[in-house]
């Protein structure tokens, strides 16, 4: 585990400059990008341009923005200078008889210049706010009344997708060899070579088994399948899985803290979360409905009202974090309470979407890519084994979704498409992996393996869903059967 500390020191601990802006500019001998704001603005420019370029190249393959953003972030991390140094070494090896010079310094200089401590902190803060706004916007565009109509079929599929992959992956985790090694403090701790803490395998198993509602909603919206019959079922199942896992983790925390006589803080935390939900249901919801009623048809919402809604989003994010919930839980509930397709929902999307999705959110992918370093792979067998471990979980989850769906008389083709939709993986899981890397639960080479499998699985599932699911064709068949029955 000591390798993690060296990795973060190399990536994020370059000297910081206290000045936000340049003192006099390049003509006065100052380095503008040695200051916080010019480098931060450069971060936005390069990640947006790179992810858009990747999206343009992969658009014929029906790839969602999520996959392109992750690839763009990885390219701008240690991968870019590593490829450049290898390419230069190759050319010198081919054309220079005396041998190739050492270009290993390129990577270190690039990382020190691009990812200093002060800029990484600012980048993560802005990206987190953009991520919160993005989830709020996704919830605003989602009609909860369509999701909650799916009933026991969605519940059965959700429970199956939660239990089966998690149980099987915990059995497969026994194939990873656990060793006892000294940590940075000199203590002897259990570790899996190439992975990290043994609990990391449990975390990975839970994230593979989890299907997060905002991730599925975002990709389905991009594929224009959000309001289809299968899309609504996928959203319903993903919501059951997402909040089912949240409830499970909460219960586990209650049990653990009760064993250590720490139940009182949990009670206060639960009361705070309940108070937040009550406020949203009985204060925020009537207020937004009042705004919608007062707005004439085809009228425009006042900018002050949109501003107040966004301030409440920030406040609920802070309240959620304060009471021990996820910072996104409050904004997600808020978004579901805003009437779908109302003038208020349209105004929020128009004023916020470009800034949040187009400028702020890509910084989260740049931060994730900054930590992806394939040169840290020292255990190739474990690197490949971890990918096969996760892939096995996604395959089991696919069949775990199909089985109950077919049992409830869903056609096999639709059941398979539903299984593919429930394997969508996105930024929410990615951020948990990033936090696990920062907390040293997983090692950098395990994180690199996780990035590869996330991109591969989401890319394949998105492509197959886009190519194989035609809701218009399906609706025509249903209509034809109804007409035939009437005849």
């Amino acid at each position: 585990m000591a390798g993690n500390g060296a990795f973060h020191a190399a990536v994020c601990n370059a000297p910081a400059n206290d000045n936000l802006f340049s003192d006099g500019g390049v003509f006065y001998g100052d380095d503008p990008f040695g200051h916080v704001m010019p480098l931060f603005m450069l971060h936005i420019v390069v990640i947006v341009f790179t992810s858009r370029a990747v999206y343009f190249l992969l658009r014929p393959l029906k790839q969602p923005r999520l996959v392109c953003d992750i690839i763009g972030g990885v390219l701008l991390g240690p991968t870019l200078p590593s490829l450049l140094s290898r390419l230069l070494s190759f050319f010198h090896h081919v054309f220079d008889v005396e041998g190739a010079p050492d270009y290993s310094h390129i990577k270190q200089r690039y990382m020190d210049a691009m990812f200093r401590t002060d800029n990484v902190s600012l980048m993560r803060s802005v990206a987190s706010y953009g991520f919160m706004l993005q989830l709020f916007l996704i919830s605003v565009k989602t009609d909860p009344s369509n999701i909650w109509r799916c009933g026991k079929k969605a519940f059965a599929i959700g429970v199956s997708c939660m239990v089966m992959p998690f149980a099987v992956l915990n059995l497969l985790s026994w194939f990873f060899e656990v060793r006892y090694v000294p940590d940075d403090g000199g203590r002897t701790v259990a570790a899996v070579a190439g992975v990290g803490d043994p609990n990391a395998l449990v975390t990975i198993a839970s994230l593979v088994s989890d299907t997060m509602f905002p991730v599925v909603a975002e990709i389905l919206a991009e594929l224009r399948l959000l309001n289809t019959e299968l899309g609504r079922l996928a959203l319903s199942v993903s919501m059951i899985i997402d909040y089912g896992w949240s409830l499970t983790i909460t219960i586990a925390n209650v049990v653990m803290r009760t064993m250590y006589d720490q139940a009182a803080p949990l009670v206060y935390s639960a009361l705070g979360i309940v108070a937040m939900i009550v406020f949203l249901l009985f204060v925020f919801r009537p207020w937004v409905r009042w705004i919608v009623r007062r707005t004439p048809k085809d009228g425009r919402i006042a900018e002050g009202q949109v501003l107040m809604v966004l301030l409440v989003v920030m406040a609920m994010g802070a309240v959620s974090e304060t009471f021990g919930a996820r910072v996104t839980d409050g904004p997600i509930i808020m978004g579901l309470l805003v009437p779908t397709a109302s003038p208020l929902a349209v105004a929020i999307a128009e004023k916020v979407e470009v800034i949040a999705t187009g400028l702020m959110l890509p910084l989260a992918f740049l931060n994730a890519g900054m930590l992806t370093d394939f040169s840290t792979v020292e255990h190739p067998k474990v690197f490949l084994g971890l990918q096969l471990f996760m892939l096995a979980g996604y395959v089991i989850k696919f069949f775990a979704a199909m089985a109950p769906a077919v049992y409830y008389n869903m056609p096999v083709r639709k059941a398979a498409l539903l299984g593919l939709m429930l394997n969508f993986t996105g930024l929410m899981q990615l951020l948990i992996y990033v936090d696990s890397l920062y907390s040293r639960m997983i090692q950098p080479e395990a994180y690199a393996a996780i990035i590869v499998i996330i991109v591969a699985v989401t890319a394949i599932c998105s492509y197959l869903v886009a190519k194989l699911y035609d809701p218009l064709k399906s609706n025509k068949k249903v209509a034809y059967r109804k007409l035939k029955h009437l005849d």
Side-chain angles (χ1 to χ4, degrees), residues 161-166 169 200-212 241 245 386-398 419 422-425 429 432-433 450 453-454 457:
C161 289
M162 284 178 59
V163 175
M164 292 301 296
F166 184 73
L169 287 181
L201 295 173
V202 179
T203 301
I204 293 171
S206 64
L207 289 174
V208 170
S209 307
D210 196 356
T211 301
M212 297 188 176
I241 297 174
W245 268 114
L386 183 59
Q387 292 180 338
L388 294 176
F389 173 77
M390 295 181 66
L391 183 60
Y394 286 117
V395 172
I396 294 167
K397 188 177 178 182
F398 172 78
L422 296 178
N423 273 325
F424 290 156
T425 305
Q429 290 98 331
I432 296 175
Y433 288 126
I450 290 169
I453 202 67
I454 284 178
V457 169

Side-chain angles (χ1 to χ4, degrees), residues 104-121:
S104 59
H105 64 280
I106 295 178
K107 173 184 170 182
Q108 189 62 48
R109 289 185 178 179
Y110 173 82
M111 298 303 293
D112 288 343
M114 281 290 291
F115 302 107
R116 300 194 312 269
T117 305
D118 47 1
N119 278 91
V120 169
S121 177

Side-chain angles (χ1 to χ4, degrees), residues 258-303:
T258 302
M259 292 174 58
Y260 292 98
D261 296 328
Q262 296 179 347
L266 279 175
V267 174
Y268 298 140
S269 176
L271 291 175
I273 295 172
V274 170
M276 179 188 71
I277 295 175
V278 169
F279 169 81
L280 292 177
L281 289 175
F282 296 101
V283 178
F284 175 76
R285 185 181 182 184
W287 176 55
V288 295
R289 292 184 179 275
W290 175 77
I291 293 175
V292 173
R293 284 197 305 269
R294 288 188 65 238
T295 305
K297 195 173 183 179
D298 300 328
R300 295 187 63 84
I301 300 291
E303 290 188 5

Side-chain angles (χ1 to χ4, degrees), residues 42-310:
L42 179 65
H43 284 163
I44 295 177
V45 172
V46 294
I47 184 58
V48 172
F49 176 80
T50 305
S51 61
R52 291 284 181 173
V54 174
Y55 181 67
F56 175 78
L57 295 174
L58 298 183
R59 186 168 54 182
L61 299 178
K62 308 289 185 182
Q63 292 306 305
R65 281 284 307 277
L66 170 74
V67 171
C68 303
D69 287 339
I70 295 177
I71 295 175
V74 170
L75 289 176
L76 293 173
T79 303
L80 179 64
S82 295
L83 290 175
L84 180 60
S85 60
R86 290 176 183 271
L87 186 62
L88 291 174
S89 298
F90 172 76
F91 279 121
H92 275 271
H93 178 74
V94 172
F95 297 108
D96 190 356
V97 181
E98 297 180 358
D102 183 17
Y103 288 103
S104 59
H105 64 280
I106 295 178
K107 173 184 170 182
Q108 189 62 48
R109 289 185 178 179
Y110 173 82
M111 298 303 293
D112 288 343
M114 281 290 291
F115 302 107
R116 300 194 312 269
T117 305
D118 47 1
N119 278 91
V120 169
S121 177
L122 177 60
M123 178 175 63
R124 294 189 70 193
S125 300
V126 176
S128 298
Y129 180 57
F131 176 60
M132 185 179 68
L133 286 179
Q134 171 73 358
L135 295 187
F136 171 68
L137 288 173
I138 292 172
S139 302
V140 167
K141 297 176 183 179
T142 304
D143 187 356
S145 62
N146 292 330
I147 299 174
W148 297 330
R149 292 173 185 168
C150 298
K152 58 183 180 181
K153 177 170 64 175
F155 182 78
I157 297 172
V159 172
S160 177
C161 289
M162 284 178 59
V163 175
M164 292 301 296
F166 184 73
V168 174
L169 287 181
N170 274 282
L171 292 176
L172 293 177
S173 65
W174 289 98
F175 287 97
F176 291 89
E177 182 182 358
V178 178
R179 299 177 181 177
Y180 291 90
V181 297
D183 64 359
D184 294 339
R187 298 171 300 176
T188 301
V189 296
V192 178
V195 177
D197 193 299
N199 291 328
L201 295 173
V202 179
T203 301
I204 293 171
S206 64
L207 289 174
V208 170
S209 307
D210 196 356
T211 301
M212 297 188 176
F213 152 73
V215 172
V216 176
E218 181 182 6
I219 297 179
L220 289 179
E222 191 170 345
L223 297 176
R224 298 184 179 179
L225 300 175
L226 187 61
N227 292 315
T228 61
E229 178 187 1
L230 200 57
R232 290 193 293 269
L233 178 59
L235 286 179
S236 181
V237 174
S238 64
M239 185 171 286
I240 291 170
I241 297 174
D242 195 3
Y243 286 99
W245 268 114
S246 297
L247 180 61
T248 301
I249 294 172
T250 300
I251 293 174
N253 284 333
V254 170
V255 173
M256 292 296 295
R257 291 181 182 273
T258 302
M259 292 174 58
Y260 292 98
D261 296 328
Q262 296 179 347
L266 279 175
V267 174
Y268 298 140
S269 176
L271 291 175
I273 295 172
V274 170
M276 179 188 71
I277 295 175
V278 169
F279 169 81
L280 292 177
L281 289 175
F282 296 101
V283 178
F284 175 76
R285 185 181 182 184
W287 176 55
V288 295
R289 292 184 179 275
W290 175 77
I291 293 175
V292 173
R293 284 197 305 269
R294 288 188 65 238
T295 305
K297 195 173 183 179
D298 300 328
R300 295 187 63 84
I301 300 291
E303 290 188 5
Q305 293 173 329
V306 176
L307 177 62
M308 289 300 298
V309 171
L310 295 180

